[in-house]
Amino acid sequence: MNIVVCVKYVPDAQSDLTFNESDNTTDRLSVDGLLSELDEYAIEAGLKLAESADGSDSKVTVLTVGPDKAADAIKKSLQMGAHAGVHVNDEAIHGSDAAGTSRILAEAVKKIGSVDLVLTGMSSTDGAMGVVPAMLAERLGLPQVTLASELTVADGTATIRRDGDAASVTITASLPALVSVTDQIN
C-alpha cells in the first residue's frame, strides 16, 4: 500500500507572530515552527495502516510545501517512522492560499506516482480552515471521507467512523481515496 500523508510546518503557537510588511503574509522565517499536531495523527494512522497491510512493500511518504524550515516537518515525520519525504520549496509559491496550496499538493502527489491513500489532518493548527483536504481530493479526482475518528482499509475500501455530538456514522470509499483524520484517530 502506498500512502501519502500531507503535512504542514506551522509557526509555534507560543511564538510572537508577525506579518511581513511587503505582502501581509505570516512571517514564518523569524519564528520557531513545528509539525502541525493534527498532521502527526495522520502520520500515525498511515504508519499503522502500512504495518497492518498485506505484504512488506507498504510505504508512507510525507509531503509538505513551504520554505527551507519546513524540512523540519519532514525530519520529524521520518523520526516517527515515515519511509520517505517530499518537500516542495519554491519562492514563487510564497503566500499561497488554500486553493493554490491544494494545486501544488495535487501536482506533487501525481509526481509521487501510484497512490492508494492520501491522508491529512482535519486542518492545520495555524489556519484551521480544513478546506485543503476537500480541494486536494477534487483536484486528484479521488473520493474523500473526512473527519475520521477511526480508519480501516480492506479489500480496496477505506472505512471510517465519524463521531458527532449525538451519533457516529460509518462511511466507506473505494481506493484510491483521500481521508482526513481527527485527533481521535489514534
Side-chain angles (χ1 to χ4, degrees):
M1 177 179 297
N2 191 11
I3 301 168
V4 172
V5 183
C6 297
V7 300
K8 187 173 182 186
Y9 181 77
V10 297
D12 187 337
Q14 304 302 317
S15 298
D16 291 326
L17 299 179
T18 60
F19 294 96
N20 293 313
E21 288 185 26
S22 62
D23 58 8
N24 292 322
T25 59
T26 304
D27 180 3
R28 296 177 184 277
L29 300 178
S30 64
V31 297
D32 290 331
L34 50 102
L35 173 63
S36 178
E37 180 182 351
L38 296 171
D39 294 337
E40 288 186 36
Y41 298 114
I43 295 165
E44 289 177 24
L47 292 171
K48 285 182 179 182
L49 286 172
E51 288 173 10
S52 67
D54 291 334
S56 60
D57 60 346
S58 292
K59 180 178 177 182
V60 174
T61 302
V62 291
L63 167 61
T64 195
V65 173
D68 291 344
K69 289 175 111 179
D72 289 347
I74 298 286
K75 291 174 188 172
K76 170 80 184 252
S77 303
L78 294 171
Q79 290 170 345
M80 293 174 67
H83 302 94
V86 175
H87 180 189
V88 179
N89 182 356
D90 187 332
E91 188 61 34
I93 60 178
H94 167 77
S96 294
D97 60 6
T101 299
S102 70
R103 173 171 276 142
I104 295 161
L105 289 170
E107 292 304 316
V109 169
K110 290 174 188 174
K111 285 190 177 201
I112 290 171
S114 177
V115 174
D116 299 301
L117 188 63
V118 177
L119 294 175
T120 70
M122 63 185 202
S123 66
S124 65
T125 54
D126 64 340
M129 293 189 305
V131 298
V132 170
M135 291 176 163
L136 178 56
E138 178 67 22
R139 290 186 189 281
L140 291 171
L142 297 178
Q144 64 166 318
V145 286
T146 58
L147 304 175
S149 300
E150 183 178 281
L151 169 62
T152 57
V153 174
D155 301 323
T157 301
T159 303
I160 73 157
R161 187 188 77 229
R162 180 185 297 155
D163 296 328
D165 291 337
S168 296
V169 300
T170 300
I171 304 168
T172 62
S174 58
L175 296 179
L178 183 140
V179 177
S180 72
V181 302
T182 70
D183 58 353
Q184 302 300 308
I185 192 73
N186 299 313

